[in-house]
């Protein structure tokens, strides 16, 4: 970077630019966003403090209590080897949420840099990068993710990498589009008259100004990433036994769905509620930060 | 007579291709500049006036060196570590909202060379004081300021690399009248103090009259009249300069407006007119106007018009 003396911690700097009062005012006006945000906070809280809330060891096998119905001993019942489903759902949420954040961070970082680079350099580099992204986007994303995850080998981290790779083009497109807009602003022209390098323009002008649309996309992506991770685990390409994971639990529970409905239903509800809450929050934040794109 | 010129433009042409056929060949060219010759005098202010689309902004870009002219030569008579800076018309978009003011001001410096932060801040504080900003503004962000203050920030930024030449691209046209006067006085003071050379691009004739030593009137990518601003603005020789001055609305305007504004579309700069560029709009057009015109010296200015040259007493040679 052109500057070695960045004083304040960068996260603090970004946060200090967010107008929290305004954000809160807008969120209060939209009950769906508020509800989504509240559920997201509750889910995050429960999942992070899973050991506190769990009633059993998630992997403790108790064959005497196998496939027990929901009740006071086991809130959500037990699975085929007697593990407590309530505790497993709490711990399983850790996997889903971790995959969500991992994917968004990795895809967001790489995609934003590549897109800004393409937009700023332009010319052939831009064409090559964007056609490559079009190729990725033209393949149905779930098929591509499955192919990648299968090639990397079934495990949750590989599933996360596969999802991240396939999500990159979305960020590339957003950040390239924003870069093309910012590049025409006269403060960039001014920087060109100072004989500033492309790197300087990228660091000081492009990246700080494309951050908010990227953040909006990232929030929106959290919900669908959690869904995708669960889907991969469901078909056996994600988390492996005995790791608790919602999608994997739904998949095993299918075998018992006629007699022991709770086995699939509770992890399914967990996925449904979490993904919906993240999507509502993401939509709300999008409307606030980017009113032009407001869904009609 | 020695002319101390800081920049010399000779026969600058600027063409931009437009459209492309299937083989990537352009359909044609936009002729933005068509032979500009200018001496830019050290420590003086040159006003550049003309209607929208006459090539003023392209000229500014050539002067700043961000565009290479298609033809012609720009000679810079100053050291390699000095340069040309610009102050833009719109202080809303010319300052990055994501940078604190002290970074905005010192950007021309740290964009090129690494400097310790303390040094940059000291420089910013110094320049802020010069342009009349209080030192506590340094840590704020540009959107917290009014238009006039933002323009002061932009001027401080232009000064930070200690340039020889500053291009002022309509720096006051987005400001209130009272603020305009403050900014113009600031510019004058800075020029006196630092021996700056200004190139002042403007629509506003009264501002040009106030600030500029010389004025160049542009029409369709050419300079049609160039001379001391008092002389040119008081007694315009070229028919286009007259048209331009007549079209300024004044409180005392009594008729004649409709007449001078008749037929006032700028001809296309894709297909340049044959002969004198101005002949289709000119009331003097007559014999001799179907050839390209050259700059002709008159009493106080240079004029690109054969008719004026013919009708003006040739006192220059006397």
């Amino acid at each position: 970077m052109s500057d070695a003396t960045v004083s304040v911690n960068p996260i603090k700097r970004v946060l200090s630019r967010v107008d929290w009062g305004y954000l809160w005012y807008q969120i209060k006006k939209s009950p769906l966003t508020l509800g989504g945000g509240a559920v997201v906070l509750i889910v995050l809280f429960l999942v992070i403090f899973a050991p506190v809330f769990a009633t059993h060891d998630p992997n403790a096998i108790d064959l005497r209590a196998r496939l027990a119905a929901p009740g006071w001993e086991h809130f959500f019942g037990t699975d085929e080897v007697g593990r407590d489903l309530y505790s497993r759902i709490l711990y399983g949420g850790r996997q889903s949420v971790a995959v969500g954040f991992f994917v968004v961070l990795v895809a967001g970082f790489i995609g934003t840099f590549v897109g800004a680079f393409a937009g700023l350099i332009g010319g052939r580099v831009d064409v090559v990068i964007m056609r490559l992204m079009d190729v990725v986007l033209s393949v149905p994303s779930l098929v591509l993710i499955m192919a990648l995850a299968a090639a990397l080998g079934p495990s949750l981290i590989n599933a996360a990498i596969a999802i991240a790779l396939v999500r990159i083009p979305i960020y590339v497109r957003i950040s390239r589009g924003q870069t093309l807009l910012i590049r025409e602003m006269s403060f960039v022209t001014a920087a060109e008259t100072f004989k500033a390098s492309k790197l300087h323009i990228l660091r000081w002008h492009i990246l700080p100004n494309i951050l908010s649309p990227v953040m909006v996309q990232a929030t929106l992506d959290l919900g669908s990433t959690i869904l995708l991770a669960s889907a991969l685990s469901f078909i056996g390409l994600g988390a492996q036994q005995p790791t608790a994971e919602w999608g994997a639990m739904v998949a095993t529970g299918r075998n018992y769905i006629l007699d022991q409905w709770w086995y699939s239903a509770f992890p399914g509800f967990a996925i449904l509620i979490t993904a919906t809450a993240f999507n509502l929050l993401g939509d709300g934040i999008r409307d606030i930060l980017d009113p032009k794109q407001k869904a009609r | 007579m020695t002319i101390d010129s800081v920049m010399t433009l000779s026969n600058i042409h600027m063409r931009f291709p437009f459209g492309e056929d299937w083989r990537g060949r352009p359909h044609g060219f936009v002729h933005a500049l068509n032979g500009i010759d200018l001496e830019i005098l050290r420590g003086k202010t040159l006003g550049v006036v003309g209607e929208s689309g006459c090539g003023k902004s392209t000229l500014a870009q050539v002067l700043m060196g961000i565009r290479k002219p298609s033809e012609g030569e720009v000679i810079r008579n100053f050291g390699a570590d000095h340069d040309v800076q610009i102050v833009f018309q719109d202080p809303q978009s010319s300052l990055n909202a994501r940078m604190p003011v002290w970074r905005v001001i010192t950007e021309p410096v740290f964009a090129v060379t690494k400097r310790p932060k303390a040094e940059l801040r000291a420089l910013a504080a110094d320049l802020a004081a010069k342009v009349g900003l209080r030192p506590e503004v340094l840590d704020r962000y540009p959107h917290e300021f009014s238009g006039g203050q933002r323009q002061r920030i932009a001027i401080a930024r232009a000064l930070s690399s200690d340039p020889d030449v500053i291009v002022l691209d309509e720096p006051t046209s987005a400001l209130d009248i009272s603020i305009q006067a403050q900014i113009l006085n600031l510019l004058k003071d800075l020029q006196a103090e630092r021996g700056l050379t200004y190139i002042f691009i403007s629509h506003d004739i009264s501002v040009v009259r106030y600030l500029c030593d010389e004025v160049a009137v542009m029409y369709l990518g050419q300079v049609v009249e160039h001379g001391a601003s008092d002389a040119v603005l008081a007694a315009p020789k070229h028919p286009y300069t007259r048209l331009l001055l007549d079209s300024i609305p004044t409180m005392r305007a009594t008729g004649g407006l409709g007449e001078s504004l008749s037929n006032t579309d700028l001809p296309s700069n894709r297909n340049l007119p044959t002969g004198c560029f101005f002949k289709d709009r000119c009331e003097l057009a007559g014999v001799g106007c179907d050839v390209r015109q050259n700059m002709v010296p008159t009493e106080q200015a240079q004029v690109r018009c054969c008719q004026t040259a013919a009708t003006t007493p040739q006192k220059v040679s006397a």
Side-chain angles (χ1 to χ4, degrees):
Chain A
M1 281 304 125
S2 58
D3 181 49
T5 58
V6 177
S7 58
V8 226
N9 144 16
I11 294 171
K12 219 164 147 192
R13 269 197 339 195
V14 170
L15 291 182
S16 72
R17 279 188 207 126
V18 179
D19 188 346
W20 294 107
Y22 172 75
L23 204 65
W24 176 237
Y25 167 77
Q26 290 286 336
I27 287 178
K28 268 197 300 190
K29 283 203 309 189
S30 154
L32 279 180
T33 315
L34 196 61
V39 174
V40 164
L41 285 182
I42 293 171
V43 168
L44 288 179
F45 189 73
L46 288 176
V47 154
I48 290 167
F49 296 104
V52 179
F53 294 105
T55 51
H56 295 74
D57 177 348
N59 292 323
I61 293 171
D62 178 7
L63 288 173
R64 284 167 305 165
R66 61 190 295 266
L67 296 169
W72 280 115
E73 177 56 24
H74 300 285
F75 294 150
F76 293 168
T78 60
D79 65 7
E80 77 278 16
V81 289
R83 292 176 295 197
D84 181 52
L85 280 177
Y86 166 72
S87 307
R88 282 182 74 74
I89 286 172
L90 286 182
Y91 279 92
R94 293 182 151 189
Q95 317 292 334
S96 307
V97 171
V99 169
F101 280 98
F102 171 85
V103 166
V104 162
L105 279 178
V106 170
F109 259 102
I110 299 176
T112 306
F113 272 100
V114 171
F117 180 75
L120 190 62
I121 302 288
R124 286 210 182 136
V125 179
D126 182 33
V127 171
V128 169
I129 291 177
M130 292 320 289
R131 291 302 82 79
L132 210 67
M133 295 303 140
D134 286 348
V135 169
V136 176
L137 283 171
S138 66
V139 181
S141 62
L142 191 60
V143 175
L144 194 57
I145 291 171
M146 280 162 56
L148 276 172
L152 291 169
S155 83
L156 198 62
I157 184 72
N158 286 343
I161 292 171
I163 299 172
L165 284 176
V166 173
R167 287 272 159 186
I168 286 175
I170 298 168
Y171 293 93
V172 172
R173 285 192 145 190
I174 290 176
S175 88
R176 174 178 175 271
Q178 289 293 315
T179 304
L180 293 182
L181 282 179
I182 303 293
R183 206 177 62 172
E184 298 305 316
M185 309 281 282
S186 54
F187 57 79
V188 177
T189 316
E192 281 165 359
T193 69
F194 314 149
K195 319 239 172 345
S197 65
K198 294 274 187 212
L199 195 68
H200 171 92
I201 292 174
L202 192 71
R203 157 75 179 84
W204 290 100
H205 297 299
I206 305 291
L207 288 180
N209 281 294
I210 64 177
L211 214 60
S212 70
V214 169
M215 301 263 264
V216 169
Q217 181 62 39
T219 342
L220 277 172
D221 257 10
L222 275 172
S224 47
T225 309
I226 289 172
L227 219 50
L228 271 174
S230 299
L232 281 187
S233 295
F234 179 81
I235 57 175
L237 287 170
Q240 301 298 308
Q241 288 288 359
T243 318
E245 207 280 343
W246 295 343
M249 286 158 80
V250 175
T252 335
R254 257 186 336 156
N255 303 328
Y256 308 94
I257 198 151
L258 291 179
D259 298 316
Q260 284 82 29
W261 56 270
W262 55 86
Y263 194 165
S264 283
F266 286 113
F269 281 136
I271 297 172
L272 176 75
I273 290 169
T274 310
T276 310
F278 271 109
N279 276 331
L280 287 177
L281 179 67
D283 271 340
I285 290 182
R286 199 241 340 256
D287 292 350
I288 293 165
L289 292 183
D290 200 359
K292 273 176 285 181
Q293 281 189 24
K294 192 161 186 165
R296 276 163 287 264
Chain B
M1 187 174 75
T2 56
I3 299 169
D4 183 14
S5 65
V6 66
M7 285 174 99
T8 307
L9 304 188
S10 47
N11 197 29
I12 300 289
H13 288 257
M14 192 77 218
R15 287 182 289 268
F16 300 107
F18 69 89
E20 256 182 24
D21 64 10
W22 60 276
R23 279 192 283 180
R25 294 179 307 188
H27 290 312
F29 289 93
V30 173
H31 299 265
L33 298 177
N34 302 298
I36 301 271
D37 296 288
L38 276 179
E39 291 277 347
I40 295 170
L41 303 180
R42 193 181 296 277
K44 302 280 185 194
T45 304
L46 170 69
V48 178
V49 296
E51 64 200 298
S52 308
C54 70
K56 291 179 304 209
S57 305
T58 312
L59 178 65
Q61 289 171 338
V62 169
L63 286 166
M64 289 184 299
I66 53 177
R67 283 197 194 281
K68 283 241 173 309
S70 326
E71 224 179 279
E73 198 183 5
V74 182
I75 301 165
R76 289 154 203 273
N77 300 319
F78 45 83
D81 54 337
H82 287 225
D83 55 356
V84 184
Q85 290 291 351
I86 185 163
V87 175
F88 287 99
Q89 172 180 10
D90 177 15
Q92 300 300 319
S93 70
S94 70
L95 308 178
N96 185 350
R98 305 275 174 182
M99 275 169 141
V101 167
W102 69 271
R103 281 232 175 257
V104 172
I105 291 179
T106 55
E107 197 194 349
V109 177
F110 76 82
V112 183
T113 45
K114 246 185 209 177
R115 294 283 174 82
K117 201 180 135 192
E119 190 182 317
L120 292 176
R121 283 196 70 105
L123 176 64
D126 190 33
L127 290 166
K130 284 239 157 47
V131 299
L133 291 167
R134 280 175 283 113
E136 59 262 33
V137 305
L138 293 179
D139 286 307
R140 298 213 212 128
Y141 287 83
H143 65 87
E144 298 172 46
F145 296 90
S146 66
Q149 283 177 309
R150 293 173 66 108
Q151 207 56 298
R152 286 174 193 268
I153 297 171
I155 292 168
R157 172 174 67 182
L159 292 174
S160 70
S161 65
D162 197 14
D164 284 19
V165 181
I166 298 182
V167 176
L168 304 161
D169 189 356
E170 308 202 33
T172 57
S173 60
L175 306 176
D176 293 346
I177 298 284
S178 59
I179 309 293
Q180 280 191 19
Q182 291 174 13
I183 296 291
L184 291 174
N185 287 331
L186 172 66
L187 288 170
K188 271 203 155 176
D189 293 345
L190 291 168
Q191 183 171 41
E193 188 188 321
R194 300 184 156 223
L196 293 165
T197 305
Y198 289 152
I199 295 155
F200 187 85
I201 297 172
S202 186
H203 279 109
D204 191 338
I205 302 292
S206 59
V207 170
V208 170
R209 186 175 284 135
Y210 176 73
L211 197 70
C212 299
D213 303 297
E214 286 199 327
V215 63
V217 181
M218 281 185 70
Y219 181 76
L220 210 60
Q222 287 186 325
V223 175
V224 294
E225 184 160 358
H226 178 201
S229 67
D230 308 340
V232 170
L233 298 179
K237 294 288 186 293
H238 194 280
Y240 176 68
T241 316
R242 279 182 225 159
L243 181 72
L244 202 64
L245 293 176
D246 282 352
S247 57
I248 303 167
T250 61
M251 304 293 269
R252 291 184 299 278
T254 52
L257 205 60
E259 186 193 339
S260 61
L261 284 179
S262 63
N263 193 19
T264 48
D265 274 350
L266 193 64
S268 161
N269 53 9
R270 295 191 174 185
N271 303 305
L272 292 173
T274 54
C276 175
F277 284 0
F278 191 59
K279 74 170 190 272
D280 293 336
R281 293 168 76 181
C282 183
E283 47 194 12
L284 301 178
V287 184
C289 290
D290 41 8
V291 294
R292 291 283 158 96
Q293 309 286 306
N294 292 316
M295 289 297 263
V296 181
T298 65
E299 202 171 336
Q300 280 156 318
Q302 290 190 303
V303 181
R304 194 186 291 275
C305 176
C306 55
Q307 302 295 340
T308 323
T311 53
T312 309
Q314 295 284 317
K315 281 186 188 166
V316 168
S317 51

